[in-house]
Structures are given as structure tokens and as C-alpha cells.
Amino acid sequence: MTERKLTHSTFTLEREYKASPARVFQAFADPVVKATWFDAPSEEWRHLGSSLDFREGGREHSEGQFGEGGPVSRFDAYYHEVVDDLRLVYDYEMRVNGQRLSVSLASIELTPTAAGTRLTLTEQGVYFDDLDNTEQRKEGTIELLESLAKAVED
């Protein structure tokens, strides 16, 4: 039986984009654009469905499957603050095959730079019963931020 315990952690990632804060922000706000980097199908990932109500008090849902017949991952978020072209604050829950892995509070700050935009993402997470951990979450988030670059940079 899995030991019942909670693990807490915080991490911050920064990424520079050769795109304006408005363009980076729009990649989160526009469901069509977001699907190109957040839910993009690949050999390892099959998108099963998503919804996005991008506003304060709005919710987001995304579900996909790893490989053919593999585990199903589900992301459910609630937006607490949405400030156009500047920042987002939201909480989200991650599940795999219906089992909760984590609950996190995340913030994204967009700062104009000479070359475009600096995105700063800070996440405070609680991970359940050793089913997920900070390093795995950081790795997955870095991959998403790299995918975002492909969506916003020329």
C-alpha cells in the first residue's frame, strides 16, 4: 500500500520569448492558439478534450492520453486573477487515471524586455502520496514553456 503523505514545494522558472507580452498573453487566452502548444498531439500524446473559460472565475480543463492505451492525464484549473498582458494567477489539480497527483497555485508574470518578454512562472504545489514530485513537475513545465516558444516566436 502507498504511504499516505503530503509533500510541499515551490519552484520558479523564467523563460525569455522573442514576442511581445500581448502575444505571449494571447497564447494563454485564445483556445485555438493554446491548443497548439498546451494540448498539441504527438507520438507520445493523444489529446482527448479541453475547454477554456479564460477570465477571472473561469475554468480550464484538458485531458489526454500517453501512448496507445496508456494512462489518462487530466488538468483542471480555476483562474483567480487575469490581468491582460501582465499576469495570471490560477490553481490547478492534476490527475492520472482518476487519481489525484497534486494541487498547485501558479502565477505567471510577463515583463517586457528589449528582445520581447520575460515570463516568470512560480508554482507552489502539494503532491499526494509520492505519486508526483517537484522535479517531474518542473520538467513537464519546462517542456510546455518550450512549446509555447514555438507558438509565439516568429
Side-chain angles (χ1 to χ4, degrees):
M1 181 173 165
T2 302
E3 181 185 352
R4 304 294 301 197
K5 71 177 198 172
L6 298 176
T7 305
H8 302 266
S9 71
T10 299
F11 65 87
T12 299
L13 300 171
E14 287 191 350
R15 175 71 162 77
E16 296 273 342
Y17 295 98
K18 294 177 185 166
S20 70
R23 185 163 181 172
V24 176
F25 185 86
Q26 193 61 25
F28 287 90
D30 183 325
V32 174
V33 177
K34 188 156 190 183
T36 67
W37 65 272
F38 195 79
D39 292 319
S42 69
E43 289 182 22
E44 301 89 28
W45 178 256
R46 184 168 60 106
H47 181 238
L48 299 176
S50 60
S51 63
L52 177 60
D53 179 10
F54 190 78
R55 62 180 175 84
E56 288 185 13
R59 297 191 178 278
E60 180 176 3
H61 161 79
S62 179
E63 196 165 33
Q65 186 170 32
F66 296 98
E68 186 65 34
V72 174
S73 174
R74 181 181 174 111
F75 167 90
D76 287 296
Y78 176 85
Y79 288 95
H80 295 277
E81 184 171 58
V82 176
V83 180
D84 289 359
D85 308 337
L86 185 63
R87 70 176 174 243
L88 308 171
V89 178
Y90 58 97
D91 66 65
Y92 73 95
E93 176 183 77
M94 290 296 303
R95 290 181 177 265
V96 170
N97 291 336
Q99 187 170 23
R100 182 184 305 108
L101 302 182
S102 65
V103 174
S104 297
L105 175 65
S107 64
I108 294 174
E109 298 170 89
L110 304 175
T111 306
T113 65
T117 302
R118 181 183 359 4
L119 181 148
T120 304
L121 181 146
T122 302
E123 182 168 319
Q124 300 165 304
V126 58
Y127 304 95
F128 298 90
D129 303 326
D130 285 334
L131 298 172
D132 198 357
N133 63 56
T134 306
E135 290 309 309
Q136 289 173 308
R137 184 59 50 85
K138 281 174 68 174
E139 182 180 313
T141 304
I142 289 168
E143 289 175 14
L144 282 173
L145 295 179
E146 289 300 315
S147 293
L148 174 61
K150 295 173 188 168
V152 300
E153 295 179 341
D154 294 327

